């Protein structure tokens, strides 16, 4: 089973799968893209100096059929619907772009995408089209898991009954955990720090990256940090629901964009400046893949 869905910024979608009106013939461009070897060569130098591998934007090509519909009018209406969903003004607006969802028997993955050129409609057969083509451009080279994973680090409680008539409950700190990025590329995260009047630090002991909060987050407020280098942000959510930029809450000497989950297991710890029962952090991420 393969299915690919395109959703524009208005939530309108085209589904290319095993059922009419759009039957998927084939899809390409979802494997690992060709990487450019970035290198330098000095004067009189034998060989070159390797710098890095750089991935291009992903180009996905969809081949599909539109089976014959009941009438010629129905065929043209379906074609108009395709053109509406893929129109430029509905696929990109206010900095947001559409979403591509690819599914097969092993899972589901997503990537931001916009149409790259017009739809190439194939030969018309009765009231349908055969072997039409659509190309999508995904600015990000990586695919992400469709499902988001979330972990919570907080002060908990564990029950313990001593050899006496009184039950005693002891606090249990769960501020450290193993977070797994099941993909093949570094995954950005979203951190939500719940204010308790402290200045916490978040450490990825596997990579050495950290986020240091240098300004007190008041009780009832939330500090929300997105570490994706393409959409880096830090906002404070006040008790009345209003938000404002909050990069001033972070230690400027620490690169927020460096806080990523590398492929595999990551040892992550939340270190509150003052431990309290309300100390809490939530972290969410999607595993990232170079290809599927």
């Amino acid at each position: 089973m393969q299915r690919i869905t395109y959703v524009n910024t208005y939530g309108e979608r085209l589904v290319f799968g095993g059922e009419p009106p759009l039957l998927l013939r084939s899809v390409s461009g979802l494997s690992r893209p060709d990487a450019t070897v970035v290198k330098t060569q000095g004067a009189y130098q034998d060989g070159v100096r390797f710098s890095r591998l750089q991935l291009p934007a992903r180009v996905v090509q969809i081949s599909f059929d539109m089976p014959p519909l009941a009438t010629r009018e129905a065929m043209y209406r379906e074609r108009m619907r395709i053109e509406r969903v893929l129109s430029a003004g509905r696929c990109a607006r206010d900095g947001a772009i559409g979403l591509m969802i690819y599914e097969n028997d092993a899972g589901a993955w997503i990537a931001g995408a916009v149409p790259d050129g017009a739809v190439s409609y194939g030969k018309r057969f009765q009231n349908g089209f055969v072997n039409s083509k659509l190309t999508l451009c995904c600015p990000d080279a990586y695919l992400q898991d469709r499902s988001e994973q979330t972990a919570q680090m907080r002060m908990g409680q564990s029950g313990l009954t001593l050899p006496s008539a009184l039950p005693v409950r002891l606090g249990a700190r769960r501020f450290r955990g193993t977070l797994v990025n099941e993909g093949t590329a570094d995954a950005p995260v979203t951190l939500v720090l719940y204010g308790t009047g402290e200045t916490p630090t978040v450490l990825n002991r596997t990579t050495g990256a950290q986020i240091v909060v240098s300004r007190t987050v008041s009780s009832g407020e939330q500090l929300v940090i997105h570490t994706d280098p393409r959409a880096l942000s830090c906002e404070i959510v006040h008790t009345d629901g209003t938000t404002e930029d909050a990069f001033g809450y972070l230690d400027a000497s620490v690169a927020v964009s460096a806080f990523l989950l590398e492929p595999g297991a990551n040892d992550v710890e939340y270190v509150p400046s003052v431990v309290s029962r309300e100390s809490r952090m939530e972290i969410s991420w999607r595993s990232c893949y170079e290809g599927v």
Side-chain angles (χ1 to χ4, degrees):
M1 180 278 291
Q2 283 193 111
R3 180 167 57 230
I4 190 161
T5 304
Y6 183 73
V7 186
N8 67 20
T9 57
Y10 285 83
E12 301 163 330
R13 61 183 57 209
L14 298 175
V15 180
F16 305 89
E19 299 178 357
L22 303 177
L23 299 181
L24 178 65
R25 274 177 165 261
S26 64
V27 58
S28 63
L30 294 166
S31 59
R32 184 173 56 84
D34 292 334
T36 300
V37 179
V38 180
K39 51 189 181 293
T40 58
Q41 185 176 37
Y44 308 107
Q45 176 186 349
D46 294 324
V48 297
R49 180 177 179 180
F50 171 79
S51 177
R52 65 187 183 278
L53 290 173
Q54 190 168 1
L55 296 178
R58 182 178 299 275
V59 178
V60 177
Q61 295 180 323
I62 302 168
S63 177
F64 67 96
D65 296 332
M66 182 196 298
L69 298 175
T71 64
R72 187 66 56 87
E73 179 186 356
M75 179 194 74
Y76 283 123
R77 286 193 179 278
E78 178 60 22
R79 177 167 167 164
M80 290 173 61
R81 185 182 75 89
I82 294 173
E83 294 298 327
R84 173 184 171 85
V85 174
L86 297 177
S87 61
R90 306 185 78 79
C91 292
R93 60 174 180 137
D94 300 330
I97 62 175
L99 181 70
M100 178 192 73
I101 306 170
Y102 172 67
E103 303 169 81
N104 63 24
D105 295 313
W109 301 268
I110 61 174
V114 293
D116 188 355
V119 177
S120 175
Y121 292 99
K123 182 178 180 180
R124 194 172 73 191
F125 174 71
Q126 295 179 359
N127 296 325
F129 294 96
V130 177
N131 199 20
S132 300
K133 298 184 185 301
L134 167 65
T135 300
L136 298 176
C137 175
C138 304
D140 187 3
Y142 304 110
L143 298 167
Q144 294 183 322
D145 266 336
R146 185 178 184 180
S147 58
E148 186 178 70
Q149 300 183 70
T150 302
Q152 188 175 98
M153 299 179 185
R154 63 183 303 168
M155 173 70 80
Q157 289 186 333
S158 59
L160 174 64
T161 302
L162 300 175
S164 66
L166 297 177
V168 179
R169 297 185 64 84
L170 301 179
R173 299 183 186 181
R174 295 196 296 268
F175 294 144
R176 190 169 181 173
T178 300
L179 311 184
V180 179
N181 172 11
E182 298 177 346
T184 58
D186 292 342
V189 302
T190 297
L191 303 169
V192 181
L193 285 70
Y194 292 84
T196 59
E198 59 185 67
T199 54
T201 298
V202 186
L203 304 172
N204 186 335
R205 297 192 176 275
T206 301
T207 64
Q210 61 180 336
I211 291 178
V212 180
V213 179
S214 56
R215 180 176 168 183
T216 299
V217 181
S218 302
S219 295
E221 295 184 334
Q222 299 174 23
L223 189 65
V224 182
I225 306 168
H226 299 282
T227 70
D228 188 342
R230 299 174 298 112
L232 200 64
S233 68
C234 178
E235 292 183 329
I236 189 78
V237 181
H238 298 294
T239 54
D240 61 0
T242 59
T243 63
E244 65 175 299
D245 180 86
F247 275 107
Y249 280 71
L250 306 180
D251 186 336
S253 66
V254 178
V256 177
S257 60
F259 197 94
L260 306 167
L261 300 183
E262 68 176 19
N266 292 255
D267 181 8
V268 176
E269 183 176 9
Y270 172 66
V271 184
S273 56
V274 179
V275 178
S276 72
R277 184 165 299 189
E278 288 74 33
S279 297
R280 178 161 60 110
M281 179 193 75
E282 291 179 356
I283 181 169
S284 57
W285 73 97
R286 298 178 192 268
S287 297
C288 289
Y289 302 79
E290 289 188 9
V292 297

